[in-house]
Amino acid sequence: MKPGDDGLRAFFVDYGRAFEAYDDAGIAACYVTPCLFVRDGKTVAAPSPEAVIESVRRLLDLHRAWDVQKAKVSKVTVLEQEPEHTLARVDWRLGRPKSRMSWRYATTYTLVPDPEHGWRIAVAITHDAPF
């Protein structure tokens, strides 16, 4: 899969659907290990799949507290394309069905190509998260 093709947006749409389903294993499967999370000014390394699931569960707990039921990709901006990685910013919109209330934020991802999944996330840096 070439960086910048429609597979990148499709990857994030599927990733958002896993959040909507509160599918911790499905979300975690989108990551390579080791990987790195940067949220709220804190850097957390996840050296194993179990550590990724633990981090994902903490994030899903925040989604539950905010009653997030929708996680939609607003925009994918490819910042850099190399054969071994892609750097992309994804603008997200979170919300509830039949509600005008929504939260917007962005995350910058470093992705690596994966022959089975298309893409896997190596680094996720969340900007201006609502929670």
Side-chain angles (χ1 to χ4, degrees):
M1 179 175 300
K2 295 179 183 177
D5 71 6
D6 291 341
L8 188 61
R9 183 173 180 82
F11 171 83
F12 284 113
V13 168
D14 289 343
Y15 182 65
R17 286 185 186 133
F19 270 96
E20 291 174 344
Y22 286 84
D23 178 4
D24 56 359
I27 297 165
C30 294
Y31 287 84
V32 296
T33 53
C35 66
L36 190 65
F37 297 98
V38 181
R39 293 186 198 123
D40 197 28
K42 296 177 184 153
T43 303
V44 176
S48 67
E50 295 80 19
V52 173
I53 285 184
E54 182 180 320
S55 182
V56 166
R57 286 179 179 157
R58 284 194 303 270
L59 183 56
L60 287 175
D61 286 346
L62 291 171
H63 279 226
R64 282 184 188 92
W66 281 62
D67 193 26
V68 172
Q69 298 171 26
K70 296 189 300 185
K72 302 296 182 196
V73 174
S74 294
K75 182 179 179 183
V76 176
T77 305
V78 175
L79 303 171
E80 180 179 311
Q81 297 177 4
E82 298 294 332
E84 296 84 25
H85 75 276
T86 293
L87 186 64
R89 174 191 160 118
V90 179
D91 292 287
W92 292 98
R93 191 186 68 210
L94 305 180
R96 300 177 185 121
K98 300 180 183 176
S99 173
R100 300 179 90 188
M101 182 181 219
S102 67
W103 303 276
R104 297 177 187 274
Y105 72 99
T107 301
T108 299
Y109 299 91
T110 301
L111 299 111
V112 293
D114 181 277
E116 291 180 30
H117 298 94
W119 298 101
R120 302 274 301 269
I121 301 166
V123 179
I125 303 170
T126 303
H127 312 278
D128 302 323
F131 29 74

